[in-house]
Amino acid sequence: MRLILVGPPGAGKGTQAVHLAAHYKIPHISTGDIFRANLKNGTELGKQAQSFMDRGELVPDSVTNEMVRDRLGNTDVANGFLLDGFPRNTNQAQVLDQILAEKKMPLDAVLELKIDNAEIVKRLSGRRTCRGCGVSSHVEFEKPKVAGVCDKCQGELYQREDDKEEVVTRRLVIYTEQTAPIVEFYKSIGLLKIISALGDVSEITKKAISALG
Ligand code: AP5
Ligand code: MG
Ligand code: ZN
């Protein structure tokens, strides 16, 4: 299964990606997670990305595309992959197309998670992210067993810098202006599947698997 998950910030891409990657036994590749890991480790890539991420802007394509090209060079993608948060604009979609054509690894599907803006704000304002493994939880909707501690790896939970209201607003604008057009493109070539992002996490996973066949 070679899959792209697309949807606005807070739609639950990261949450669903964990379950779908386990179900299909494929690596979960989140460009946001890779940038955050680099920030945490103080790498050059992390330094390049930080100011863009903090403002809710896209990290420049020159940086992002090379990072993804590199990641897709890893042997673990031989049986498929799940891309979460990439591509996010037309140029990235074109570059991905070239990379996959070179590797003779055509996409199977693009899954869009549909959600309205009011729900997004509720989700992002209560989201907590693990410093250890990057997994999301929520102070109300997906409470960890122990407050402030990740269920999966016992890492510390923190609030992402870009989950502040002004930055969320900017991320939504960027999504509408830059990412929504690529969803239309994937629709036009028959790869798009759409499901609602509302409801229980496990119900959404089931809907996703049945939509993907
Ligand atoms: P990225 O990390 O990709 O952020 P995003 O796209 O804005 O998406 P989020 O991670 O905020 O949301 P999500 O859909 O994963 O939701 P989640 O599952 O956590 O990107 C961050 C930044 O990095 C970008 O702004 C940009 O600067 C840079 N970047 C990344 N990729 C890039 C690229 N390709 N090009 C350029 N720059 C790039 O869920 C949200 C919350 O809701 C959680 O609290 C969760 O517990 C809760 N929740 C999930 N599902 C449910 C449910 N069913 N019911 C109730 N609550 C739920
Ligand atoms: Mg995410
Ligand atoms: Zn963790």
Coordinates of all heavy atoms in Angstrom, one line a residue, residues 130-135 150-155 157, ligand 3:
C130 N 3.9 14.1 22.2 CA 5.0 13.4 23.0 C 6.3 13.9 22.5 O 6.6 13.8 21.3 CB 4.8 11.9 22.9 SG 6.2 11.1 23.7
R131 N 7.2 14.3 23.5 CA 8.6 14.7 23.1 C 9.4 13.4 22.7 O 10.3 13.6 22.0 CB 9.3 15.3 24.3 CG 8.9 16.7 24.5 CD 10.0 17.4 25.4 NE 9.4 18.6 26.0 CZ 9.2 19.8 25.3 NH1 9.5 19.9 24.1 NH2 8.6 20.7 25.9
G132 N 9.0 12.3 23.2 CA 9.7 11.1 22.9 C 9.4 10.5 21.5 O 10.3 10.5 20.6
C133 N 8.1 10.2 21.3 CA 7.8 9.5 20.0 C 6.9 10.3 19.1 O 6.6 9.9 18.0 CB 7.1 8.2 20.3 SG 5.4 8.4 21.0
G134 N 6.5 11.5 19.5 CA 5.8 12.4 18.6 C 4.3 12.1 18.4 O 3.6 12.9 17.8
V135 N 3.8 11.1 19.1 CA 2.4 10.7 19.0 C 1.5 11.8 19.7 O 1.9 12.4 20.7 CB 2.1 9.3 19.6 CG1 0.7 9.1 20.0 CG2 2.6 8.3 18.6
C150 N 3.1 10.2 28.0 CA 2.7 9.4 26.8 C 2.4 8.0 27.2 O 3.2 7.3 27.8 CB 3.8 9.5 25.8 SG 3.6 8.5 24.3
D151 N 1.2 7.5 26.7 CA 0.9 6.1 26.9 C 1.8 5.1 26.3 O 2.1 4.0 26.8 CB -0.5 5.8 26.3 CG -1.6 6.3 27.2 OD1 -1.4 6.7 28.3 OD2 -2.8 6.3 26.7
K152 N 2.3 5.5 25.1 CA 3.1 4.6 24.3 C 4.6 4.5 24.8 O 5.1 3.4 24.9 CB 3.1 5.1 22.9 CG 3.4 4.1 21.8 CD 3.2 4.7 20.4 CE 4.4 4.2 19.6 NZ 4.7 5.1 18.4
C153 N 5.2 5.6 25.1 CA 6.6 5.5 25.5 C 7.0 6.2 26.8 O 8.2 6.3 27.1 CB 7.5 6.1 24.3 SG 7.5 7.9 24.3
Q154 N 6.0 6.7 27.5 CA 6.2 7.3 28.8 C 6.9 8.7 28.7 O 7.4 9.2 29.7 CB 6.9 6.4 29.8 CG 6.0 5.5 30.6 CD 5.3 4.5 29.8 OE1 6.0 3.7 29.1 NE2 4.0 4.4 29.7
G155 N 7.0 9.2 27.4 CA 7.7 10.5 27.2 C 6.8 11.6 27.8 O 5.6 11.4 28.1
L157 N 4.6 14.9 27.6 CA 3.7 15.5 26.7 C 3.8 17.1 26.7 O 3.9 17.6 27.8 CB 2.2 15.2 27.0 CG 2.0 13.6 26.9 CD1 0.5 13.4 27.3 CD2 2.2 13.1 25.5
Ligands
ZN3 ZN 5.6 8.9 23.2

